Amino acid sequence: ETGVTQSPTHLIKTRGQQVTLRCSSQSGHNTVSWYQQALGQGPQFIFQYYREEENGRGNFPPRFSGLQFPNYSSELNVNALELDDSALYLCASSSGPQSFPTDTQYFGPGTRLTVL
Amino acid sequence: KQEVTQIPAALSVPEGENLVLNCSFTDSAIYNLQWFRQDPGKGLTSLLLIQSSQREQTSGRLNASLDKSSGRSTLYIAASQPGDSATYLCAVPSAGGTSYGKLTFGQGTILTVHP
């Protein structure tokens, strides 16, 4: 059983650019959630994908968008990058609503995004 | 809107000491509560998940308790070791409607255990 993986590990972009972050969910999981963690803060929920459909969104602007693929891997896209987008981006996978609330979410190692 | 608060923000203890980390939440209608560990610049590792019907969960030197009515949870670490140094986060999920399991996190407690 493979864990949650994310790529790239680190990324440096300049303000106004676009970025795509990737996440491979744990084997058997069909739900992926994305979180943004600013330095010294707890993670903030961005959105969740369940079976390739967006299944809820946090308080983030539309320039944050995502996709989930048939193999349940996922992408997070951020357009028009701003300095405040600098953060650790975490994805988490889980088994889906049928396993809630007993199942935990499994987090990847994160992608550190720096916007200059 | 659920809000989660953790106290203290940072804690430094000598090796071998027993310690308690605190987590409080504003909406007591939770399904479960999780404690995570995060090493610097890394992802989150789940330590313990307590269901709303449970009062506590134990894993090795870790014991987490939950009091839904008062909106509080504690993480007890026995005989602390330098390897326990990390940030500890508690989180509660939302459910129903959209985004089941969306986690609301506290800001974390930074624990340093010195030899």
Side-chain angles (χ1 to χ4, degrees):
Chain A
E1 182 180 276
T2 57
V4 179
T5 60
Q6 292 186 243
S7 63
T9 305
H10 296 90
L11 205 50
I12 299 175
K13 292 285 188 178
T14 56
R15 199 169 50 179
Q17 285 189 310
Q18 178 267 342
V19 69
T20 297
L21 310 181
R22 295 179 175 83
C23 171
S24 291
S25 59
Q26 185 160 310
S27 176
H29 286 179
N30 56 22
T31 303
V32 173
S33 303
W34 285 92
Y35 294 82
Q36 179 195 65
Q37 186 178 24
L39 202 60
Q41 302 295 317
Q44 299 287 319
F45 176 77
I46 303 175
F47 44 56
Q48 182 183 85
Y49 279 83
Y50 170 58
R51 290 184 175 176
E52 303 179 57
E53 297 288 330
E54 187 178 291
N55 186 44
R57 187 178 186 92
N59 190 26
F60 281 81
R63 60 190 185 83
F64 285 78
S65 63
L67 281 173
Q68 188 178 32
F69 301 99
N71 66 355
Y72 302 130
S73 64
S74 178
E75 286 183 355
L76 165 65
N77 299 290
V78 187
N79 294 321
L81 284 166
E82 300 177 359
L83 298 180
D84 285 349
D85 296 334
S86 294
L88 182 67
Y89 288 84
L90 298 163
C91 76
S93 75
S94 53
S95 307
Q98 71 280 2
S99 64
F100 182 83
T102 57
D103 193 22
T104 188
Q105 294 187 37
Y106 295 86
F107 282 79
T111 293
R112 170 70 64 187
L113 173 64
T114 302
V115 182
L116 303 176
Chain B
K1 177 189 170 187
Q2 179 73 270
E3 293 183 3
V4 179
T5 304
Q6 292 186 244
I7 295 173
L11 185 62
S12 180
V13 300
E15 182 176 4
E17 193 161 298
N18 302 325
L19 55 99
V20 174
L21 308 181
N22 297 291
C23 172
S24 61
F25 44 94
T26 54
D27 184 352
S28 62
I30 63 170
Y31 290 85
N32 62 46
L33 184 143
Q34 275 189 268
W35 283 93
F36 291 89
R37 169 185 171 137
Q38 185 174 34
D39 293 296
K42 304 296 184 182
L44 277 60
T45 300
S46 179
L47 296 173
L48 290 164
L49 184 153
I50 313 176
Q51 301 297 338
S52 61
S53 58
Q54 297 175 318
R55 294 298 300 266
E56 62 179 59
Q57 275 281 5
T58 298
S59 176
R61 294 183 294 108
L62 305 179
N63 176 277
S65 67
L66 176 63
D67 184 343
K68 274 185 58 176
S69 61
S70 67
R72 294 180 182 178
S73 176
T74 61
L75 179 66
Y76 174 83
I77 302 177
S80 57
Q81 303 171 357
D84 295 330
S85 298
T87 297
Y88 291 80
L89 295 149
C90 67
V92 293
S94 62
T98 60
S99 59
Y100 94 95
K102 160 197 165 182
L103 294 175
T104 299
F105 285 86
Q107 73 276 30
T109 293
I110 303 171
L111 173 65
T112 303
V113 181
H114 48 89

